[in-house]
Amino acid sequence: MSSSGWETSLVGALGFWDMSDRYDPPAIEVAWQARWSQSEAYHVSNDDPRPKSYVLCMYPYPSGPAHQGHVRNYTFGDLNVRYRTMNGEAVLSPIGFDSFGLPAENAAIRTGVHPRVFTEERMAELKASLTRLGAAYDWRREIYSHDPSYIRWSQYLFLRFYQAGLVYRGDAPVNWCPGCQTVLANEQVLADGTCERSGDLVVRRELTQWFFRITRYADELLEGLEDLDWPQRVKTMQRNWIGRSVGAEISFEVDGLDDYKLRVFTTRPDTIFGATYAVVAPEHPDLERLTAPDLEERVKAFLEEVATRSELERMAGEDAGKRGVPLGTYAINPITGERIPIYVADYVLGHYGTGAIMAVPGEDDRDYEFARNFGLPVVETVARPEGFVGPVYTGPGAKINSGFLDGLSVEEAKAEVISRLEKIGAGSESVKYRLRDWLVSRQRFWGCPIPILYCQACGTVPVPDDQLPVLAPDDVEFRPTGESPLLHSDAFRLTTCPRCGGPATRETDTMDTFVDSSWYYLRFCDPFSEDRPFDVQAVEDWMPVDQYIGGVEHAILHLLYARFFTRALSDLGLAPATLKEPFKRLFTQGMIRLGGSKMSKSKGNLVTPQRYFDTVGADALRLFHLFVGPPADDFDWTDQTDEMIEGCHRFLQRVWSLADRIPVNQGEPDTGNPTYLVVHQLIARTTDGIDRWAYNTSVAALMELTNALSKAQADLVDPVTLDYGLRTLLELLAPMAPHIASELYHRRYGLDVHRQAWPKVDHALLASAMVTLVVQVNGKTRATLTIDPLAPEEVVRPLAQTAIASHLEQVKIQRVIAKLPRVMNFVVE
RNA sequence: GCCCGGGUGGUGGAAUGGUAGACACGGAGGCCUCAAAAGCCUCUGCUCGCAAGGGCGUGCGGGUUCGAGUCCCGCCCCGGGUACCA
């Protein structure tokens, strides 16, 4: 890190300066921002000798000028960067933009403006806001997803995954709008199941799509959570999302079908004596075989009805009473030999487990509901506990009505059934996951093209590395139907097969934008390489991210996909072998609400920061976001918020005027001075607040310090100690309100406050300081005493007793609980 | 339904089992001023009392403890996530 020379280029003079100028935040802030952008203060290189750390905020979708959510997020990030820097670390602090996505494409359809133009305008606005906020970045490392040099490596990685068998093509149900002839995202389907654009009824349709085989990593992704310093609830959400279930797969013979077994999955093999029917999903591949001839018509009608429902509806719909029809065939219970009817019903999902279940209405709510609808028998196989009411019991207990299992516990019975099934070859233990493979195909223009060709002769052919990036053409037409223009661009679609030289067509799907955000943090380590996605050594040097900061809305998808990418890249040798988890610590900030809902552009309830930048300044706004409450908590933007921001501004003004009143007086402070003690107590509290993400308490400590110094100044405390206190205050303030701290520090000391060491607490001094002893009678505080923390009980007790003498009259002291030097409690009768 | 969070003054919030309400916002009074703005000072949980000094208070009900906002049990309410995953 080289010196940029501006430390001495300003006012420069030590000692007094002309403070007739008032605190003018916008002027000061813009000037410092200009200096920061010219300096290399927050540029880091891989051979930096300081201990390395990596602080990253989730890179933003460029939606235009920053809103308060951005301000909050990037204020937290910047505080971390500047604080760690003052603690002697080389901090990698990059920023970029998640610049592909639907809004730009919708705007193109609406107005005809090319998504790139639309996006880059908004990127420039967001960048300007971040700069205006005063956030410190290594801008040399800026990346954005739609940059051809980023697209190139996204495609390169896609192809490596493809070659490794981690990418495949398969059929998946999608929301299809017959009117628009296109696929819709779930958000584009209205609650009544119609298309938001055309109003047509959306149907489910199987379409060939590209997938990442994330399920191969299900177990690893689950186990990897253990060691992460992440919020517990985010880890829990990921665990639930992966949804590992241990149970058994059981084969049922089907009456009249030779050489066929119906395989079901259950987590409750112990309940097999209660299985009174079986159900297959509407998508079950063997549905036709399982349907008796006389019921084909009914089944067909049912399947048509199911097809009109999107998957979302199917699961959540109001009428989600159990729907289904009997198939007219029967399965044979391998344990009991019982003959049970087979149904098709849409409460069973085709993509989970085996797509078929044995239904146990006595021990499963869903099965019970269905059984009741269809008049099917219910058998209880677990003894209900005393006092239990209700038809369905899912808890532990002794097995009943279960033949050889009777008397066993549920857990014992599970093992017993599995071993019996294995013996007779009718089943075995099985583990299933809720997690599905990651569907990455998007029928969109504004995304990273999937680098695949289809050749009549050679079939599916990956685009050779030396032909990357595959870029979408600019010369396209955006149709109001929402179809991707790539479909109609012959210039893009028609090409030559690299293998045989014959005619080929390009894949027109683009990738989910979560692909872009799954590796950007790796590219940040080395955005300079032109011949590879990133240098492995650079990644080894910086990764994992020491502190990742973002919103909880990404708790599942982004954070899971990024974890998958890191593991896969590591296994493929593209990332360091030791790198398994990308984000060591995660912090999820609370959201900002206005009028009861999340503040967001789509809700149209934004309060933009610009007017605060123009008046009270970025420092005051930053301070407000730090002060308003715990960073992890949500907060409501209300009528009072402006007054609180105003209060933060007034605080900074008091700091400014305090600096005016306290002359520069460098030297050794008086360590015996009470002011010196207060300074150290407040260094401790400020630091503690930062370390435990309680920034609101850190700000409070700085306010107290300011108040204390102000009083000390009025009381004519030793001028060197006063100067020392103010200097410390500015150092503590630097990560939070970097501009005013820089300005005052520079004016007073001619130095860059951000290059100072974070103030160190004199712990010995704090430990020896006089403390307040609470004197209680029966647990009620009756007096307080100021005592030496080391004073022994024999000394303290008489003092305490004297202080509460009036409360000890006419009573007998039974016990004295002394927890010195904090409390002494007299227990009286 | 299930899984997390969370209920503390008029408001945002603070409090390793040890003085509940730090620090702010708002409010009241005062100083400065010809006046205002700004700034500064004092007060500000409820309640009884002239005062000194009491009593009550962290959603509700129990419990543990010398001592509970904090720990345990049972409820109520609010917010978020998730939702037929067998």
Side-chain angles (χ1 to χ4, degrees), chain A residues 693-711:
Chain A
W693 282 82
Y695 302 142
N696 51 330
T697 64
S698 293
V699 175
L702 294 186
M703 288 173 169
E704 283 183 57
L705 180 54
T706 303
N707 295 342
L709 290 174
S710 184
K711 193 164 185 322

Side-chain angles (χ1 to χ4, degrees), chain A residues 1 16 158 172 223 248 254 286 349 442 453 508 546 593 596 711 734 744 746-747 784:
Chain A
M1 186 155 82
F16 293 98
F158 179 93
E223 285 159 19
V254 178
D286 305 320
L349 306 173
R442 296 292 180 270
L453 304 173
T508 54
D546 294 279
R593 281 187 304 244
K711 193 164 185 322
L744 291 175
H746 184 265
R747 287 189 184 204
T784 58

Side-chain angles (χ1 to χ4, degrees), chain A residues 26 33 42 171 198 210 254-255 383 413 443 479 491 496 502-503 566 598 692 755:
Chain A
Q33 284 149 14
Y42 289 93
D171 289 338
S198 71
W210 287 96
V254 178
D255 201 8
Q443 290 69 39
R479 307 187 176 200
T496 315
T566 301
K598 176 182 172 152
R692 57 190 182 92
R755 295 188 193 192

